[in-house]
Amino acid sequence: MKILILGAQARYERYMPHLPFIRQQELVFMDKESSEAQILAAAADADILFVDAITPVSGTLMAQMPGLKLVHSEGVAYDKIDLAAARARGIDVCNNRGCNAGAVAEQAVLLMLMLLRQELEGDRAVREGRQMEMKERCMREGLRELSECRVGLIGFGDIAKATAQRLAPFGCEVFYNSRHRRSRDEEETFGVTYLSQEELVSSCDIVSLHCAVTDQTRNMVNTAFLQRMKSTAYLINTARGDLVDNQALREALMAGTIAGAGLDTVAPEPVAADHPLVTMPAPGRDRLVFSPHLGGITEGSFRRAHLHMWRNAERVADGHRPDNIVNGEQ
């Protein structure tokens, strides 16, 4: 089989599992920025396509790859892949659901703690010789412990569950909202309480996003959403930047509508230097913590994800259906 890989060859080689199947295949590596014309010139006859989670795969491209059987996201996200076009052509689209859940959950907790403890400002204060000035201010104004916070998780998939598990030792109350309420046993297992989205947003001290991007969730964090949040509350996004209306968040941070935000994902990606959240002046700038979409890219995550991708490719080669199909019949 011919397997086209849109991604860094060095990364794929580093995390490539020791499977005899791989050595028997024709692998074609291309830069993820390659044009559709370049892709078709090199591998129009590919059977399988591995693709970075934020790289688009259009219906037009798939229509010109007649032997394509599988498109596999290297990550959990798959919103850049034309699912309907793939379904119409009988092409399975798969993701690596759950492979990075623990890693992203750690990143979410990290952002919560950085905001609560004003870590970025604290680092600057020490470097600039203002340690005692900031320490006195924090003692005067107060610092909240995570244990004192009500944390609300929007979405309750693998990453949200892993986040709930990592929050449990801190002793904070954890709430969740999802399209379907979980069973009482599952809620007890993860130590969470169900709330409507409106009640969760308005009552929690930290609102953390863990849902996929759909037509219903795109820009869900808009002006109305942010105005429902407490003025002392923080927004965390380790899911997808498309969930957030950037201009609405900028205005909320500038006005102090919310206390702050921690973002591992920002749309569009890559984030440009002139992005409205990046260029925000004080006081909004000081209420925002960025991380460069590091949540799910730990070594452990990549090892698990790449093993799953190659196992799925082997299943397809053997005539079986792969795991984690995301574009099944609707």
Side-chain angles (χ1 to χ4, degrees):
M1 300 185 76
K2 178 179 281 190
I3 301 176
L4 171 61
I5 300 170
L6 294 182
Q9 183 171 350
R11 182 170 75 246
Y12 273 83
E13 290 177 344
R14 175 175 181 177
Y15 295 109
M16 192 172 288
H18 298 291
L19 299 177
F21 163 80
I22 300 175
R23 295 193 297 272
Q24 301 164 5
Q25 313 311 312
E26 179 183 357
L27 308 184
V28 179
F29 291 92
M30 297 187 70
D31 188 279
K32 66 180 182 180
E33 305 299 333
S34 300
S35 68
E36 291 191 356
Q38 291 171 323
I39 292 170
L40 293 170
D45 58 341
D47 301 281
I48 293 173
L49 172 59
F50 289 166
V51 63
D52 183 284
I54 63 172
T55 299
V57 179
S58 71
T60 303
L61 176 65
M62 289 184 279
Q64 298 177 80
M65 301 178 71
L68 192 62
K69 303 175 182 66
L70 170 67
V71 178
H72 209 304
S73 169
E74 189 185 7
V76 175
Y78 49 85
D79 55 292
K80 301 299 184 183
I81 302 170
D82 189 331
L83 300 183
R87 188 184 311 113
R89 297 188 59 81
I91 300 168
D92 289 326
V93 178
C94 298
N95 74 341
N96 286 313
R97 186 186 68 213
C99 288
N100 65 359
V104 179
E106 288 183 6
Q107 191 76 12
V109 176
L110 168 68
L111 291 171
M112 294 174 195
L113 291 169
M114 289 184 72
L115 289 165
L116 289 169
R117 296 303 178 97
Q118 302 179 31
E119 188 56 37
L120 287 183
E121 186 180 354
D123 178 82
R124 289 195 300 270
V126 173
R127 294 177 187 276
E128 296 169 3
R130 298 184 291 105
Q131 174 194 355
M132 297 311 298
E133 173 190 329
M134 180 173 175
K135 184 175 181 180
E136 289 291 342
R137 179 178 64 77
C138 288
M139 288 192 291
R140 182 175 65 252
E141 297 177 357
L143 290 174
R144 273 186 293 174
E145 298 177 18
L146 186 50
S147 63
E148 300 172 328
C149 295
R150 291 165 56 100
V151 180
L153 310 175
I154 296 184
F156 202 63
D158 295 312
I159 295 173
K161 291 174 182 176
T163 302
Q165 289 175 319
R166 283 153 178 76
L167 288 171
F170 287 92
C172 48
E173 291 185 276
V174 182
F175 302 86
Y176 80 99
N177 174 264
S178 63
R179 285 187 301 169
H180 305 290
R181 182 170 181 174
R182 302 305 197 262
S183 68
R184 179 168 296 182
D185 286 346
E186 190 170 359
E187 290 179 349
E188 290 179 354
T189 296
F190 291 98
V192 296
T193 302
Y194 179 85
L195 291 176
S196 69
Q197 186 178 121
E198 183 172 341
E199 188 175 0
L200 182 151
V201 171
S202 63
S203 67
C204 285
D205 302 296
I206 298 172
V207 177
S208 190
L209 305 180
H210 299 279
C211 49
V213 177
T214 66
D215 290 340
Q216 290 71 43
T217 62
R218 192 178 306 276
N219 288 330
M220 65 182 290
V221 180
N222 54 21
T223 299
F225 183 107
L226 293 162
Q227 287 178 342
R228 284 197 297 272
M229 290 178 64
K230 297 161 65 173
S231 62
T232 55
Y234 295 98
L235 175 74
I236 304 294
N237 188 10
T238 55
R240 276 292 176 265
D242 299 280
L243 298 171
V244 177
D245 181 325
N246 292 323
Q247 191 59 40
L249 179 57
R250 176 185 169 114
E251 292 171 2
L253 291 170
M254 289 296 296
T257 303
I258 62 174
L263 309 177
D264 188 46
T265 53
V266 180
E269 192 171 359
V271 182
D274 62 352
H275 190 283
L277 292 174
V278 174
T279 59
M280 184 168 45
R285 175 190 62 213
D286 301 324
R287 296 174 176 142
L288 180 59
V289 174
F290 290 112
S291 56
H293 204 166
L294 297 179
I297 63 170
T298 62
E299 291 184 352
S301 292
F302 274 123
R303 282 195 298 271
R304 291 185 291 271
H306 281 233
L307 176 60
H308 180 249
M309 292 167 71
W310 289 110
R311 288 292 193 195
N312 261 349
E314 188 171 18
R315 290 186 184 98
V316 171
D318 290 341
H320 302 302
R321 298 206 75 189
D323 291 337
N324 290 8
I325 297 173
V326 298
N327 68 326
E329 293 297 327
Q330 292 185 341

